[in-house]
Amino acid sequence: MTAFSEQLIKLRKQKGLSQEQLGAAVGVTRQTVSKWELGDTTPELGKLVQLSDYFQLSIDELVGHAAENDGDRTVELNGAPAVWHYEYKSKRTWFGIPLVHINIGPGPRRARGIIAVGNLSRGAIAIGGLSVGLLSFGACSLGMFSLGGLSLGLLVSAGGLSVGALSFGGLAIGLFAVGGCAFGVYSIGGCAIASKIAAGGYAHGPIAIGDRATGDIVFQFEQGFRSGDVRRAVTKMFPGTWGIIADIFSAF
């Protein structure tokens, strides 16, 4: 019995599958699965990739190699090189979660760890195409602190499209939003729209500061004004405003 056949039996039983059910999942007969598990035959490359995706393991892990790698590895089956893939999973864990998990290569490579790097990553620090974490970086990122093309952050968010309590981006939406186009309670941007204070090229809000400003209390750049005038307007209309926010808008 080979390392692959032993691993296949273990994985199938962990999922509570019969040989027939596993065969149906990857498009082969029960007899084929039986031959794999007996070590009589091995899957062709296409079926090996299907099994890898089905069990969400790298090909290295599926064929019985350790998950820990020292570098890149090319696997050849029947003379055909497999698609490039690299995976590293640290032996150290925290509550069963690897401290570091790196899983990169073509396809939906998933990484889960305290530090996770992968096409689909989840961790305290997550880096990847789609990343979810306390500190998250990716094309699409979600986290407490988030940076990405599409970024959603519970506290701080920065990206092309950014949504968060403190938000920076081409299009920024948040409690305090700064961007080309900013929407928030407090907004600063080329186009700034706010429910309390807005400042920018075009600004609209109860208190508006800008080249083109509309609102209940308006400060036009071309007309000139003093920072003290802005602060008095803020404290009068919104007396509970934090001092640092009043300072930022007074600086205009």
Side-chain angles (χ1 to χ4, degrees), residues 39-182:
D40 293 341
T41 61
T42 55
E44 61 184 19
L45 178 60
K47 294 303 178 185
L48 193 64
V49 171
Q50 280 185 268
L51 288 167
S52 173
D53 289 340
Y54 182 75
F55 289 114
Q56 296 185 8
L57 294 174
S58 68
I59 292 177
D60 271 1
E61 289 176 303
L62 186 62
V63 299
H65 290 298
E68 289 75 22
N69 295 278
D70 293 327
D72 300 348
R73 177 178 294 169
T74 300
V75 177
E76 288 197 5
L77 296 171
N78 299 326
V83 175
W84 177 86
H85 171 235
Y86 173 82
E87 182 169 20
Y88 169 82
K89 190 180 292 183
S90 66
K91 294 180 181 178
R92 288 184 175 272
T93 62
W94 188 69
F95 290 100
I97 300 173
L99 292 182
V100 179
H101 187 189
I102 301 170
N103 191 9
I104 54 178
R109 303 296 180 182
R110 296 174 176 83
R112 179 172 177 263
I114 304 304
I115 299 175
V117 181
N119 299 346
L120 305 173
S121 62
R122 183 165 48 127
I125 300 175
I127 302 170
L130 173 59
S131 60
V132 180
L134 181 66
L135 182 60
S136 180
F137 305 89
C140 182
S141 62
L142 171 64
M144 193 71 70
F145 301 89
S146 183
L147 174 64
L150 171 59
S151 176
L152 292 88
L154 297 180
L155 289 181
V156 180
S157 176
L161 171 57
S162 174
V163 180
L166 181 58
S167 180
F168 303 88
L171 173 59
I173 303 171
L175 176 65
F176 194 108
V178 180
C181 190

Side-chain angles (χ1 to χ4, degrees), residues 192-216:
I193 299 174
S195 61
K196 287 189 176 180
I197 310 172
Y202 170 79
H204 176 77
I207 297 177
I209 308 163
D211 292 317
R212 297 178 58 192
T214 60
D216 299 326

